[in-house]
PDB file of all heavy atoms in Angstrom:
ATOM      1  N   TYR A   1     232.044 152.828 -41.119  1.00  0.00           N
ATOM      2  CA  TYR A   1     231.908 152.755 -39.735  1.00  0.00           C
ATOM      3  C   TYR A   1     230.548 153.433 -39.297  1.00  0.00           C
ATOM      4  O   TYR A   1     230.082 154.371 -39.939  1.00  0.00           O
ATOM      5  CB  TYR A   1     232.924 153.508 -38.928  1.00  0.00           C
ATOM      6  CG  TYR A   1     234.350 153.024 -39.198  1.00  0.00           C
ATOM      7  CD1 TYR A   1     235.470 153.717 -38.695  1.00  0.00           C
ATOM      8  CD2 TYR A   1     234.636 151.815 -39.900  1.00  0.00           C
ATOM      9  CE1 TYR A   1     236.785 153.317 -38.944  1.00  0.00           C
ATOM     10  CE2 TYR A   1     235.935 151.424 -40.173  1.00  0.00           C
ATOM     11  CZ  TYR A   1     237.022 152.148 -39.700  1.00  0.00           C
ATOM     12  OH  TYR A   1     238.331 151.760 -39.893  1.00  0.00           O
ATOM     13  N   ASN A   2     229.960 152.854 -38.249  1.00  0.00           N
ATOM     14  CA  ASN A   2     228.681 153.464 -37.678  1.00  0.00           C
ATOM     15  C   ASN A   2     228.583 152.964 -36.237  1.00  0.00           C
ATOM     16  O   ASN A   2     229.167 152.071 -35.777  1.00  0.00           O
ATOM     17  CB  ASN A   2     227.501 153.077 -38.514  1.00  0.00           C
ATOM     18  CG  ASN A   2     227.180 151.596 -38.370  1.00  0.00           C
ATOM     19  OD1 ASN A   2     226.407 151.162 -37.497  1.00  0.00           O
ATOM     20  ND2 ASN A   2     227.689 150.749 -39.295  1.00  0.00           N
ATOM     21  N   THR A   3     227.676 153.707 -35.534  1.00  0.00           N
ATOM     22  CA  THR A   3     227.390 153.351 -34.131  1.00  0.00           C
ATOM     23  C   THR A   3     225.888 152.896 -33.915  1.00  0.00           C
ATOM     24  O   THR A   3     225.517 152.830 -32.802  1.00  0.00           O
ATOM     25  CB  THR A   3     227.731 154.518 -33.164  1.00  0.00           C
ATOM     26  OG1 THR A   3     226.954 155.674 -33.638  1.00  0.00           O
ATOM     27  CG2 THR A   3     229.152 154.824 -33.197  1.00  0.00           C
ATOM     28  N   ASN A   4     225.230 152.746 -35.049  1.00  0.00           N
ATOM     29  CA  ASN A   4     223.785 152.275 -34.896  1.00  0.00           C
ATOM     30  C   ASN A   4     223.644 150.779 -35.282  1.00  0.00           C
ATOM     31  O   ASN A   4     222.553 150.353 -35.730  1.00  0.00           O
ATOM     32  CB  ASN A   4     222.877 153.166 -35.797  1.00  0.00           C
ATOM     33  CG  ASN A   4     223.355 153.239 -37.224  1.00  0.00           C
ATOM     34  OD1 ASN A   4     224.293 152.576 -37.563  1.00  0.00           O
ATOM     35  ND2 ASN A   4     222.663 154.109 -37.970  1.00  0.00           N
ATOM     36  N   LYS A   5     224.679 149.979 -35.060  1.00  0.00           N
ATOM     37  CA  LYS A   5     224.677 148.572 -35.080  1.00  0.00           C
ATOM     38  C   LYS A   5     224.299 147.992 -36.519  1.00  0.00           C
ATOM     39  O   LYS A   5     223.754 146.939 -36.602  1.00  0.00           O
ATOM     40  CB  LYS A   5     223.638 148.005 -34.058  1.00  0.00           C
ATOM     41  CG  LYS A   5     224.002 148.352 -32.652  1.00  0.00           C
ATOM     42  CD  LYS A   5     223.159 147.654 -31.643  1.00  0.00           C
ATOM     43  CE  LYS A   5     223.574 148.022 -30.175  1.00  0.00           C
ATOM     44  NZ  LYS A   5     222.847 147.383 -29.176  1.00  0.00           N
ATOM     45  N   GLN A   6     224.756 148.679 -37.567  1.00  0.00           N
ATOM     46  CA  GLN A   6     224.603 148.146 -38.935  1.00  0.00           C
ATOM     47  C   GLN A   6     225.845 147.380 -39.238  1.00  0.00           C
ATOM     48  O   GLN A   6     227.010 147.890 -39.142  1.00  0.00           O
ATOM     49  CB  GLN A   6     224.429 149.314 -39.833  1.00  0.00           C
ATOM     50  CG  GLN A   6     223.067 150.043 -39.641  1.00  0.00           C
ATOM     51  CD  GLN A   6     222.836 151.166 -40.702  1.00  0.00           C
ATOM     52  OE1 GLN A   6     223.650 151.315 -41.565  1.00  0.00           O
ATOM     53  NE2 GLN A   6     221.805 151.922 -40.556  1.00  0.00           N
ATOM     54  N   GLY A   7     225.707 146.160 -39.679  1.00  0.00           N
ATOM     55  CA  GLY A   7     226.817 145.298 -40.049  1.00  0.00           C
ATOM     56  C   GLY A   7     227.310 144.513 -38.849  1.00  0.00           C
ATOM     57  O   GLY A   7     226.444 144.011 -37.998  1.00  0.00           O
ATOM     58  N   LEU A   8     228.586 144.342 -38.742  1.00  0.00           N
ATOM     59  CA  LEU A   8     229.173 143.586 -37.612  1.00  0.00           C
ATOM     60  C   LEU A   8     229.920 144.537 -36.669  1.00  0.00           C
ATOM     61  O   LEU A   8     230.500 145.558 -37.169  1.00  0.00           O
ATOM     62  CB  LEU A   8     230.069 142.480 -38.163  1.00  0.00           C
ATOM     63  CG  LEU A   8     229.412 141.287 -38.938  1.00  0.00           C
ATOM     64  CD1 LEU A   8     230.518 140.444 -39.438  1.00  0.00           C
ATOM     65  CD2 LEU A   8     228.495 140.537 -37.875  1.00  0.00           C
ATOM     66  N   PRO A   9     230.169 144.130 -35.443  1.00  0.00           N
ATOM     67  CA  PRO A   9     231.030 144.980 -34.570  1.00  0.00           C
ATOM     68  C   PRO A   9     232.457 145.063 -35.129  1.00  0.00           C
ATOM     69  O   PRO A   9     232.999 144.074 -35.654  1.00  0.00           O
ATOM     70  CB  PRO A   9     231.044 144.123 -33.256  1.00  0.00           C
ATOM     71  CG  PRO A   9     229.767 143.348 -33.243  1.00  0.00           C
ATOM     72  CD  PRO A   9     229.498 142.972 -34.666  1.00  0.00           C
ATOM     73  N   PHE A  10     232.967 146.258 -35.071  1.00  0.00           N
ATOM     74  CA  PHE A  10     234.328 146.486 -35.540  1.00  0.00           C
ATOM     75  C   PHE A  10     235.265 146.923 -34.433  1.00  0.00           C
ATOM     76  O   PHE A  10     234.947 147.713 -33.629  1.00  0.00           O
ATOM     77  CB  PHE A  10     234.258 147.630 -36.562  1.00  0.00           C
ATOM     78  CG  PHE A  10     235.649 148.040 -37.065  1.00  0.00           C
ATOM     79  CD1 PHE A  10     236.490 147.260 -37.680  1.00  0.00           C
ATOM     80  CD2 PHE A  10     236.098 149.352 -36.746  1.00  0.00           C
ATOM     81  CE1 PHE A  10     237.793 147.648 -38.092  1.00  0.00           C
ATOM     82  CE2 PHE A  10     237.393 149.785 -37.087  1.00  0.00           C
ATOM     83  CZ  PHE A  10     238.160 148.953 -37.791  1.00  0.00           C
ATOM     84  N   HIS A  11     236.402 146.285 -34.452  1.00  0.00           N
ATOM     85  CA  HIS A  11     237.451 146.561 -33.403  1.00  0.00           C
ATOM     86  C   HIS A  11     238.819 146.794 -34.050  1.00  0.00           C
ATOM     87  O   HIS A  11     239.306 145.994 -34.772  1.00  0.00           O
ATOM     88  CB  HIS A  11     237.584 145.420 -32.303  1.00  0.00           C
ATOM     89  CG  HIS A  11     236.234 145.226 -31.626  1.00  0.00           C
ATOM     90  ND1 HIS A  11     235.970 145.915 -30.483  1.00  0.00           N
ATOM     91  CD2 HIS A  11     235.134 144.431 -31.874  1.00  0.00           C
ATOM     92  CE1 HIS A  11     234.815 145.594 -29.965  1.00  0.00           C
ATOM     93  NE2 HIS A  11     234.290 144.716 -30.824  1.00  0.00           N
ATOM     94  N   GLN A  12     239.380 148.027 -33.642  1.00  0.00           N
ATOM     95  CA  GLN A  12     240.585 148.452 -34.298  1.00  0.00           C
ATOM     96  C   GLN A  12     241.778 148.206 -33.468  1.00  0.00           C
ATOM     97  O   GLN A  12     242.905 147.905 -33.936  1.00  0.00           O
ATOM     98  CB  GLN A  12     240.484 150.007 -34.566  1.00  0.00           C
ATOM     99  CG  GLN A  12     241.700 150.605 -35.151  1.00  0.00           C
ATOM    100  CD  GLN A  12     241.776 150.317 -36.627  1.00  0.00           C
ATOM    101  OE1 GLN A  12     242.172 149.224 -37.073  1.00  0.00           O
ATOM    102  NE2 GLN A  12     241.419 151.290 -37.452  1.00  0.00           N
ATOM    103  N   GLY A  13     241.630 148.267 -32.051  1.00  0.00           N
ATOM    104  CA  GLY A  13     242.729 148.129 -31.154  1.00  0.00           C
ATOM    105  C   GLY A  13     242.292 147.979 -29.823  1.00  0.00           C
ATOM    106  O   GLY A  13     241.191 147.670 -29.472  1.00  0.00           O
ATOM    107  N   VAL A  14     243.139 148.350 -28.791  1.00  0.00           N
ATOM    108  CA  VAL A  14     242.820 148.165 -27.420  1.00  0.00           C
ATOM    109  C   VAL A  14     241.845 149.107 -26.809  1.00  0.00           C
ATOM    110  O   VAL A  14     241.338 148.994 -25.730  1.00  0.00           O
ATOM    111  CB  VAL A  14     244.141 148.190 -26.576  1.00  0.00           C
ATOM    112  CG1 VAL A  14     245.078 147.067 -26.999  1.00  0.00           C
ATOM    113  CG2 VAL A  14     244.799 149.578 -26.602  1.00  0.00           C
ATOM    114  N   GLY A  15     241.514 150.197 -27.624  1.00  0.00           N
ATOM    115  CA  GLY A  15     240.556 151.191 -27.140  1.00  0.00           C
ATOM    116  C   GLY A  15     239.141 150.536 -26.937  1.00  0.00           C
ATOM    117  O   GLY A  15     238.436 151.121 -26.090  1.00  0.00           O
ATOM    118  N   SER A  16     238.813 149.401 -27.504  1.00  0.00           N
ATOM    119  CA  SER A  16     237.538 148.824 -27.256  1.00  0.00           C
ATOM    120  C   SER A  16     237.707 147.570 -26.411  1.00  0.00           C
ATOM    121  O   SER A  16     236.765 146.835 -26.209  1.00  0.00           O
ATOM    122  CB  SER A  16     236.877 148.435 -28.617  1.00  0.00           C
ATOM    123  OG  SER A  16     237.723 147.553 -29.322  1.00  0.00           O
ATOM    124  N   TYR A  17     238.848 147.388 -25.739  1.00  0.00           N
ATOM    125  CA  TYR A  17     238.981 146.179 -24.830  1.00  0.00           C
ATOM    126  C   TYR A  17     238.198 146.514 -23.540  1.00  0.00           C
ATOM    127  O   TYR A  17     238.073 147.642 -23.051  1.00  0.00           O
ATOM    128  CB  TYR A  17     240.449 146.134 -24.435  1.00  0.00           C
ATOM    129  CG  TYR A  17     241.317 145.308 -25.383  1.00  0.00           C
ATOM    130  CD1 TYR A  17     240.966 145.056 -26.699  1.00  0.00           C
ATOM    131  CD2 TYR A  17     242.521 144.730 -24.989  1.00  0.00           C
ATOM    132  CE1 TYR A  17     241.705 144.313 -27.531  1.00  0.00           C
ATOM    133  CE2 TYR A  17     243.364 144.013 -25.805  1.00  0.00           C
ATOM    134  CZ  TYR A  17     242.942 143.774 -27.118  1.00  0.00           C
ATOM    135  OH  TYR A  17     243.718 143.072 -27.926  1.00  0.00           O
ATOM    136  N   GLY A  18     237.590 145.439 -22.992  1.00  0.00           N
ATOM    137  CA  GLY A  18     236.933 145.472 -21.740  1.00  0.00           C
ATOM    138  C   GLY A  18     237.822 144.797 -20.729  1.00  0.00           C
ATOM    139  O   GLY A  18     238.959 144.499 -20.934  1.00  0.00           O
ATOM    140  N   THR A  19     237.122 144.454 -19.581  1.00  0.00           N
ATOM    141  CA  THR A  19     237.856 143.784 -18.515  1.00  0.00           C
ATOM    142  C   THR A  19     238.452 142.431 -18.997  1.00  0.00           C
ATOM    143  O   THR A  19     239.610 142.064 -18.750  1.00  0.00           O
ATOM    144  CB  THR A  19     237.005 143.510 -17.330  1.00  0.00           C
ATOM    145  OG1 THR A  19     236.461 144.776 -16.845  1.00  0.00           O
ATOM    146  CG2 THR A  19     237.730 142.846 -16.170  1.00  0.00           C
ATOM    147  N   ARG A  20     237.645 141.789 -19.792  1.00  0.00           N
ATOM    148  CA  ARG A  20     238.061 140.486 -20.382  1.00  0.00           C
ATOM    149  C   ARG A  20     237.649 140.364 -21.839  1.00  0.00           C
ATOM    150  O   ARG A  20     238.366 139.746 -22.644  1.00  0.00           O
ATOM    151  CB  ARG A  20     237.403 139.366 -19.530  1.00  0.00           C
ATOM    152  CG  ARG A  20     237.462 137.980 -20.051  1.00  0.00           C
ATOM    153  CD  ARG A  20     238.759 137.293 -19.722  1.00  0.00           C
ATOM    154  NE  ARG A  20     238.686 135.849 -20.113  1.00  0.00           N
ATOM    155  CZ  ARG A  20     239.445 134.882 -19.616  1.00  0.00           C
ATOM    156  NH1 ARG A  20     240.343 135.214 -18.765  1.00  0.00           N
ATOM    157  NH2 ARG A  20     239.278 133.641 -20.002  1.00  0.00           N
ATOM    158  N   PHE A  21     236.434 140.872 -22.128  1.00  0.00           N
ATOM    159  CA  PHE A  21     235.841 140.777 -23.377  1.00  0.00           C
ATOM    160  C   PHE A  21     235.693 142.209 -24.088  1.00  0.00           C
ATOM    161  O   PHE A  21     235.461 143.086 -23.366  1.00  0.00           O
ATOM    162  CB  PHE A  21     234.448 140.117 -23.304  1.00  0.00           C
ATOM    163  CG  PHE A  21     234.510 138.701 -22.740  1.00  0.00           C
ATOM    164  CD1 PHE A  21     234.316 138.602 -21.361  1.00  0.00           C
ATOM    165  CD2 PHE A  21     234.744 137.596 -23.514  1.00  0.00           C
ATOM    166  CE1 PHE A  21     234.327 137.319 -20.793  1.00  0.00           C
ATOM    167  CE2 PHE A  21     234.760 136.363 -22.899  1.00  0.00           C
ATOM    168  CZ  PHE A  21     234.593 136.219 -21.508  1.00  0.00           C
ATOM    169  N   VAL A  22     235.854 142.207 -25.382  1.00  0.00           N
ATOM    170  CA  VAL A  22     235.654 143.491 -26.066  1.00  0.00           C
ATOM    171  C   VAL A  22     234.364 144.081 -25.942  1.00  0.00           C
ATOM    172  O   VAL A  22     233.318 143.326 -25.882  1.00  0.00           O
ATOM    173  CB  VAL A  22     236.163 143.434 -27.523  1.00  0.00           C
ATOM    174  CG1 VAL A  22     237.623 143.257 -27.695  1.00  0.00           C
ATOM    175  CG2 VAL A  22     235.429 142.279 -28.233  1.00  0.00           C
ATOM    176  N   ASP A  23     234.255 145.417 -25.940  1.00  0.00           N
ATOM    177  CA  ASP A  23     233.034 146.163 -25.943  1.00  0.00           C
ATOM    178  C   ASP A  23     232.556 146.484 -27.362  1.00  0.00           C
ATOM    179  O   ASP A  23     233.391 147.183 -28.060  1.00  0.00           O
ATOM    180  CB  ASP A  23     233.116 147.436 -25.058  1.00  0.00           C
ATOM    181  CG  ASP A  23     233.493 147.123 -23.638  1.00  0.00           C
ATOM    182  OD1 ASP A  23     232.922 146.132 -23.119  1.00  0.00           O
ATOM    183  OD2 ASP A  23     234.291 147.886 -23.063  1.00  0.00           O
ATOM    184  N   ASP A  24     231.426 146.035 -27.812  1.00  0.00           N
ATOM    185  CA  ASP A  24     230.932 146.322 -29.126  1.00  0.00           C
ATOM    186  C   ASP A  24     230.223 147.647 -29.213  1.00  0.00           C
ATOM    187  O   ASP A  24     229.079 147.770 -28.866  1.00  0.00           O
ATOM    188  CB  ASP A  24     230.032 145.207 -29.623  1.00  0.00           C
ATOM    189  CG  ASP A  24     230.684 143.827 -29.707  1.00  0.00           C
ATOM    190  OD1 ASP A  24     231.872 143.835 -29.850  1.00  0.00           O
ATOM    191  OD2 ASP A  24     230.002 142.763 -29.582  1.00  0.00           O
ATOM    192  N   ASN A  25     230.979 148.708 -29.635  1.00  0.00           N
ATOM    193  CA  ASN A  25     230.385 150.012 -29.753  1.00  0.00           C
ATOM    194  C   ASN A  25     230.350 150.523 -31.165  1.00  0.00           C
ATOM    195  O   ASN A  25     229.424 151.195 -31.593  1.00  0.00           O
ATOM    196  CB  ASN A  25     231.229 150.996 -28.912  1.00  0.00           C
ATOM    197  CG  ASN A  25     231.213 150.695 -27.467  1.00  0.00           C
ATOM    198  OD1 ASN A  25     230.113 150.400 -26.834  1.00  0.00           O
ATOM    199  ND2 ASN A  25     232.319 150.749 -26.795  1.00  0.00           N
ATOM    200  N   VAL A  26     231.393 150.225 -31.949  1.00  0.00           N
ATOM    201  CA  VAL A  26     231.474 150.619 -33.335  1.00  0.00           C
ATOM    202  C   VAL A  26     231.207 149.489 -34.272  1.00  0.00           C
ATOM    203  O   VAL A  26     231.662 148.292 -33.952  1.00  0.00           O
ATOM    204  CB  VAL A  26     232.852 151.233 -33.667  1.00  0.00           C
ATOM    205  CG1 VAL A  26     232.983 151.629 -35.123  1.00  0.00           C
ATOM    206  CG2 VAL A  26     233.148 152.451 -32.780  1.00  0.00           C
ATOM    207  N   TYR A  27     230.564 149.693 -35.402  1.00  0.00           N
ATOM    208  CA  TYR A  27     230.182 148.643 -36.322  1.00  0.00           C
ATOM    209  C   TYR A  27     230.705 149.021 -37.689  1.00  0.00           C
ATOM    210  O   TYR A  27     230.946 150.183 -38.034  1.00  0.00           O
ATOM    211  CB  TYR A  27     228.675 148.418 -36.356  1.00  0.00           C
ATOM    212  CG  TYR A  27     228.128 147.789 -35.080  1.00  0.00           C
ATOM    213  CD1 TYR A  27     228.028 148.409 -33.895  1.00  0.00           C
ATOM    214  CD2 TYR A  27     227.680 146.427 -35.115  1.00  0.00           C
ATOM    215  CE1 TYR A  27     227.577 147.896 -32.707  1.00  0.00           C
ATOM    216  CE2 TYR A  27     227.245 145.831 -33.946  1.00  0.00           C
ATOM    217  CZ  TYR A  27     227.207 146.577 -32.772  1.00  0.00           C
ATOM    218  OH  TYR A  27     226.759 145.918 -31.643  1.00  0.00           O
ATOM    219  N   SER A  28     230.769 147.984 -38.526  1.00  0.00           N
ATOM    220  CA  SER A  28     231.230 148.181 -39.968  1.00  0.00           C
ATOM    221  C   SER A  28     230.283 147.402 -40.896  1.00  0.00           C
ATOM    222  O   SER A  28     230.007 146.267 -40.648  1.00  0.00           O
ATOM    223  CB  SER A  28     232.669 147.782 -40.166  1.00  0.00           C
ATOM    224  OG  SER A  28     233.052 147.890 -41.494  1.00  0.00           O
ATOM    225  N   THR A  29     229.909 148.137 -41.985  1.00  0.00           N
ATOM    226  CA  THR A  29     229.140 147.463 -43.037  1.00  0.00           C
ATOM    227  C   THR A  29     230.076 146.833 -44.087  1.00  0.00           C
ATOM    228  O   THR A  29     229.647 146.142 -44.973  1.00  0.00           O
ATOM    229  CB  THR A  29     228.167 148.346 -43.686  1.00  0.00           C
ATOM    230  OG1 THR A  29     228.855 149.619 -44.119  1.00  0.00           O
ATOM    231  CG2 THR A  29     227.101 148.872 -42.714  1.00  0.00           C
ATOM    232  N   SER A  30     231.377 147.174 -43.997  1.00  0.00           N
ATOM    233  CA  SER A  30     232.363 146.545 -44.865  1.00  0.00           C
ATOM    234  C   SER A  30     233.130 145.481 -44.061  1.00  0.00           C
ATOM    235  O   SER A  30     233.666 145.699 -43.077  1.00  0.00           O
ATOM    236  CB  SER A  30     233.352 147.581 -45.351  1.00  0.00           C
ATOM    237  OG  SER A  30     234.363 147.023 -46.148  1.00  0.00           O
ATOM    238  N   ILE A  31     233.037 144.254 -44.649  1.00  0.00           N
ATOM    239  CA  ILE A  31     233.630 143.118 -43.897  1.00  0.00           C
ATOM    240  C   ILE A  31     235.014 142.831 -44.550  1.00  0.00           C
ATOM    241  O   ILE A  31     235.140 142.435 -45.712  1.00  0.00           O
ATOM    242  CB  ILE A  31     232.735 141.863 -44.104  1.00  0.00           C
ATOM    243  CG1 ILE A  31     231.322 142.167 -43.713  1.00  0.00           C
ATOM    244  CG2 ILE A  31     233.310 140.680 -43.261  1.00  0.00           C
ATOM    245  CD1 ILE A  31     231.111 142.751 -42.312  1.00  0.00           C
ATOM    246  N   THR A  32     236.052 143.038 -43.766  1.00  0.00           N
ATOM    247  CA  THR A  32     237.414 142.789 -44.197  1.00  0.00           C
ATOM    248  C   THR A  32     237.888 141.515 -43.579  1.00  0.00           C
ATOM    249  O   THR A  32     237.696 140.405 -44.138  1.00  0.00           O
ATOM    250  CB  THR A  32     238.365 143.906 -43.787  1.00  0.00           C
ATOM    251  OG1 THR A  32     238.161 144.311 -42.416  1.00  0.00           O
ATOM    252  CG2 THR A  32     237.979 145.224 -44.644  1.00  0.00           C
ATOM    253  N   ARG A  33     238.541 141.577 -42.456  1.00  0.00           N
ATOM    254  CA  ARG A  33     238.983 140.325 -41.780  1.00  0.00           C
ATOM    255  C   ARG A  33     238.110 140.026 -40.561  1.00  0.00           C
ATOM    256  O   ARG A  33     237.779 140.979 -39.755  1.00  0.00           O
ATOM    257  CB  ARG A  33     240.418 140.564 -41.321  1.00  0.00           C
ATOM    258  CG  ARG A  33     241.420 140.863 -42.407  1.00  0.00           C
ATOM    259  CD  ARG A  33     241.689 139.667 -43.292  1.00  0.00           C
ATOM    260  NE  ARG A  33     242.495 140.056 -44.438  1.00  0.00           N
ATOM    261  CZ  ARG A  33     243.784 140.263 -44.482  1.00  0.00           C
ATOM    262  NH1 ARG A  33     244.417 140.173 -43.359  1.00  0.00           N
ATOM    263  NH2 ARG A  33     244.447 140.652 -45.530  1.00  0.00           N
ATOM    264  N   LEU A  34     237.711 138.768 -40.439  1.00  0.00           N
ATOM    265  CA  LEU A  34     236.776 138.352 -39.392  1.00  0.00           C
ATOM    266  C   LEU A  34     237.427 137.598 -38.247  1.00  0.00           C
ATOM    267  O   LEU A  34     238.449 136.844 -38.466  1.00  0.00           O
ATOM    268  CB  LEU A  34     235.663 137.460 -39.949  1.00  0.00           C
ATOM    269  CG  LEU A  34     234.613 138.201 -40.859  1.00  0.00           C
ATOM    270  CD1 LEU A  34     233.745 137.139 -41.493  1.00  0.00           C
ATOM    271  CD2 LEU A  34     233.825 139.129 -40.045  1.00  0.00           C
ATOM    272  N   ALA A  35     236.984 137.808 -37.047  1.00  0.00           N
ATOM    273  CA  ALA A  35     237.331 137.031 -35.888  1.00  0.00           C
ATOM    274  C   ALA A  35     236.082 136.231 -35.436  1.00  0.00           C
ATOM    275  O   ALA A  35     234.984 136.863 -35.293  1.00  0.00           O
ATOM    276  CB  ALA A  35     237.921 137.817 -34.774  1.00  0.00           C
ATOM    277  N   LYS A  36     236.258 134.900 -35.165  1.00  0.00           N
ATOM    278  CA  LYS A  36     235.103 134.157 -34.766  1.00  0.00           C
ATOM    279  C   LYS A  36     234.795 134.382 -33.299  1.00  0.00           C
ATOM    280  O   LYS A  36     235.644 134.913 -32.521  1.00  0.00           O
ATOM    281  CB  LYS A  36     235.404 132.683 -34.928  1.00  0.00           C
ATOM    282  CG  LYS A  36     235.716 132.197 -36.368  1.00  0.00           C
ATOM    283  CD  LYS A  36     235.949 130.719 -36.486  1.00  0.00           C
ATOM    284  CE  LYS A  36     237.262 130.322 -35.786  1.00  0.00           C
ATOM    285  NZ  LYS A  36     237.540 128.876 -36.088  1.00  0.00           N
ATOM    286  N   PRO A  37     233.553 134.034 -32.822  1.00  0.00           N
ATOM    287  CA  PRO A  37     233.241 134.078 -31.360  1.00  0.00           C
ATOM    288  C   PRO A  37     234.346 133.285 -30.595  1.00  0.00           C
ATOM    289  O   PRO A  37     234.768 132.216 -31.038  1.00  0.00           O
ATOM    290  CB  PRO A  37     231.855 133.488 -31.295  1.00  0.00           C
ATOM    291  CG  PRO A  37     231.215 133.666 -32.585  1.00  0.00           C
ATOM    292  CD  PRO A  37     232.387 133.554 -33.617  1.00  0.00           C
ATOM    293  N   ASN A  38     234.719 133.785 -29.405  1.00  0.00           N
ATOM    294  CA  ASN A  38     235.672 133.160 -28.491  1.00  0.00           C
ATOM    295  C   ASN A  38     237.068 133.192 -29.077  1.00  0.00           C
ATOM    296  O   ASN A  38     237.988 132.471 -28.634  1.00  0.00           O
ATOM    297  CB  ASN A  38     235.245 131.719 -28.189  1.00  0.00           C
ATOM    298  CG  ASN A  38     235.926 131.280 -26.897  1.00  0.00           C
ATOM    299  OD1 ASN A  38     236.087 132.045 -25.920  1.00  0.00           O
ATOM    300  ND2 ASN A  38     236.340 130.021 -26.844  1.00  0.00           N
ATOM    301  N   SER A  39     237.337 134.122 -30.058  1.00  0.00           N
ATOM    302  CA  SER A  39     238.678 134.229 -30.545  1.00  0.00           C
ATOM    303  C   SER A  39     239.503 135.082 -29.554  1.00  0.00           C
ATOM    304  O   SER A  39     238.906 135.965 -28.846  1.00  0.00           O
ATOM    305  CB  SER A  39     238.708 134.933 -31.858  1.00  0.00           C
ATOM    306  OG  SER A  39     238.169 134.203 -32.896  1.00  0.00           O
ATOM    307  N   ILE A  40     240.735 134.831 -29.430  1.00  0.00           N
ATOM    308  CA  ILE A  40     241.681 135.621 -28.573  1.00  0.00           C
ATOM    309  C   ILE A  40     242.160 136.795 -29.497  1.00  0.00           C
ATOM    310  O   ILE A  40     242.696 136.531 -30.532  1.00  0.00           O
ATOM    311  CB  ILE A  40     242.898 134.797 -28.148  1.00  0.00           C
ATOM    312  CG1 ILE A  40     242.386 133.663 -27.200  1.00  0.00           C
ATOM    313  CG2 ILE A  40     243.897 135.676 -27.361  1.00  0.00           C
ATOM    314  CD1 ILE A  40     243.371 132.588 -26.995  1.00  0.00           C
ATOM    315  N   LEU A  41     241.980 138.015 -28.992  1.00  0.00           N
ATOM    316  CA  LEU A  41     242.518 139.185 -29.710  1.00  0.00           C
ATOM    317  C   LEU A  41     243.847 139.580 -29.120  1.00  0.00           C
ATOM    318  O   LEU A  41     243.988 139.719 -27.965  1.00  0.00           O
ATOM    319  CB  LEU A  41     241.512 140.344 -29.646  1.00  0.00           C
ATOM    320  CG  LEU A  41     240.197 140.149 -30.272  1.00  0.00           C
ATOM    321  CD1 LEU A  41     239.312 141.365 -30.169  1.00  0.00           C
ATOM    322  CD2 LEU A  41     240.325 139.729 -31.729  1.00  0.00           C
TER     323      LEU A  41
END
């Protein structure tokens, strides 16, 4: 995990939920499971 935008945005749960769209604050350089743009979380 990192906060300097290395890799892809990482979301663990509702803590990063926004009003409608998730807020990209934490990133991961390890790619496990991916969600495409416009996916419903």
Side-chain angles (χ1 to χ4, degrees):
Y1 301 169
N2 68 88
T3 55
N4 52 7
K5 300 187 178 181
Q6 294 181 5
L8 289 175
F10 170 66
H11 296 273
Q12 179 78 283
V14 299
S16 58
Y17 274 19
T19 303
R20 167 86 168 201
F21 303 93
V22 286
D23 299 320
D24 296 334
N25 297 316
V26 177
Y27 289 71
S28 174
T29 53
S30 174
I31 310 303
T32 49
R33 302 287 171 79
L34 288 173
K36 299 184 292 187
N38 202 37
S39 294
I40 298 164
L41 296 183

